[in-house]
């Protein structure tokens, strides 16, 4: 999309039921669709059928470094190649409105393959407050896309990324949460192939409640010639 051009949203009332309603949304710029979305709404209902996975046991966010602090730590390495130093400086210069604390950050100076799983503590920067839950859902949608698809590339760190973009992104909201409070983002990639990768994610509240489940498929194109060492 073009941030300088207004977006026209066309909403279709796909279904309106007693408990569930569905709306189809098409975002249009320059007369062409740039985004399509299907949204399902439900009236709040109780049920004895209830369970969830168990939240991973990890250190609290107060004991971990932020992404910015980790990058600064890597930049202090005098043996870091200049091209990677420039790349890290570029990342650090980005104005990302999310606080991120990786639980097990990958070693940027190593190209060893890793298991396609990662954990982050995440929250929106600033104060949102006790507002409409839909606002927190919109912010969580933004947060959930950050570094999500990159999980599928962790076993293939020897390759240089040419192109990486989302094809589709699905979210299920299970329980109320605050997007400006720390949540644990658990990401994993069960499959990659054919220039595509599949990733799944869970956003946990600090009290262990599973708040959101996410899934995304994206395009992954890499250079066939492996990268050289970053040192």
């Amino acid at each position: 999309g073009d941030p300088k051009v207004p977006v026209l949203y066309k909403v279709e009332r796909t279904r309106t039921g007693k408990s569930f309603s569905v709306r189809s949304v098409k975002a249009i710029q320059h007369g062409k669709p740039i985004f399509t979305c299907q949204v399902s709404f439900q009236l709040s209902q109780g049920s004895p059928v209830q369970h969830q996975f168990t939240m991973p046991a990890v250190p609290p966010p107060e004991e971990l470094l932020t992404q910015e602090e980790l990058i600064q730590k890597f930049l202090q390495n005098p043996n870091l190649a200049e091209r990677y130093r420039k790349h890290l400086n570029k990342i650090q210069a980005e104005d990302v409105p999310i606080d991120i604390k990786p639980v097990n950050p990958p070693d940027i100076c190593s190209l060893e393959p890793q298991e396609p799983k990662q954990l982050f503590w995440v929250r929106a920067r600033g104060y949102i407050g006790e507002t409409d839950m839909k606002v927190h859902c919109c912010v969580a949608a933004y947060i959930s896309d950050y570094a999500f698809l990159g999980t599928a590339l962790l076993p293939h760190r020897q390759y240089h990324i040419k192109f990486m973009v989302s094809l589709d992104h699905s979210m299920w909201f299970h329980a109320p949460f605050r997007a400006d409070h720390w949540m644990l983002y658990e990401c994993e990639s069960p499959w990659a192939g054919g220039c595509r990768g599949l990733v799944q994610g869970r956003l946990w509240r600090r009290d262990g409640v599973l708040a959101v489940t996410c899934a995304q498929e994206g395009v992954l194109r890499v250079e066939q010639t492996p990268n050289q060492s970053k040192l």
Side-chain angles (χ1 to χ4, degrees):
D2 186 347
K4 298 179 181 178
V5 177
V7 180
L8 173 65
Y9 292 97
K10 184 178 180 181
V11 181
E12 178 184 343
R13 295 174 179 263
T14 308
R15 180 180 183 276
T16 301
K18 293 181 179 180
S19 299
F20 292 87
S21 295
V22 179
R23 299 292 184 264
S24 299
V25 183
K26 184 181 292 184
I28 301 170
Q29 276 187 335
H30 303 294
K32 297 180 179 180
I34 60 170
F35 172 82
T36 58
C37 175
Q38 183 165 290
V39 187
S40 177
F41 300 92
Q42 179 196 6
L43 290 175
S44 180
Q45 295 174 304
S47 170
V49 180
Q50 186 172 328
H51 72 269
Q52 66 167 49
F53 283 173
T54 301
M55 179 179 174
V58 299
E62 291 78 14
E63 296 180 7
L64 300 172
L65 298 176
T66 65
Q67 179 170 272
E68 290 83 359
E69 290 169 335
L70 286 168
I71 289 176
Q72 193 60 42
K73 184 178 177 181
F74 288 133
L75 289 173
Q76 291 174 357
N77 184 346
N79 298 316
L80 187 66
E82 187 60 28
R83 59 178 294 197
Y84 296 104
R85 190 175 299 277
K86 289 181 180 179
H87 177 66
L88 290 174
N89 282 321
K90 183 179 178 181
I91 294 175
Q92 202 165 34
E94 293 177 354
D95 186 18
V96 179
I98 311 170
D99 286 325
I100 304 167
K101 291 192 173 186
V103 175
N104 294 303
D107 184 357
I108 199 169
C109 298
S110 172
L111 297 177
E112 289 297 317
Q114 290 187 313
E115 189 178 12
K117 295 182 179 182
Q118 52 184 342
L119 293 160
F120 306 93
W121 284 105
V122 293
R123 69 179 178 186
R125 286 182 175 167
Y127 177 78
I128 299 176
E130 298 286 352
T131 183
D132 191 324
M133 188 60 212
K134 292 192 253 334
V135 174
H136 289 283
C137 289
C138 290
V139 175
Y142 181 92
I143 291 174
S144 71
D145 193 45
Y146 191 82
F148 193 22
L149 189 56
T151 309
L153 289 169
L154 290 176
H156 315 283
R157 301 180 68 209
Q158 71 271 31
Y159 295 108
H160 174 69
I161 304 168
K162 289 174 58 179
F163 184 71
M164 181 171 65
V165 68
S166 170
L167 290 170
D168 52 61
H169 190 102
S170 300
M171 300 184 72
W172 297 265
F173 298 95
H174 311 307
F177 61 91
R178 286 274 299 269
D180 55 349
H181 288 180
W182 285 116
M183 291 190 292
L184 182 68
Y185 196 16
E186 179 186 10
C187 306
E188 58 186 0
S189 174
W191 175 88
C195 294
R196 291 178 292 128
L198 177 66
V199 288
Q200 299 168 342
R202 289 178 282 273
L203 277 166
W204 300 89
R205 294 189 334 208
R206 289 195 68 164
D207 60 0
V209 171
L210 179 58
V212 186
T213 297
C214 314
Q216 185 180 100
E217 187 181 42
V219 178
L220 302 172
R221 300 192 189 280
V222 299
E223 296 280 3
Q224 292 299 309
T225 303
N227 273 328
Q228 298 299 315
S229 171
K230 298 187 179 183
L231 289 176

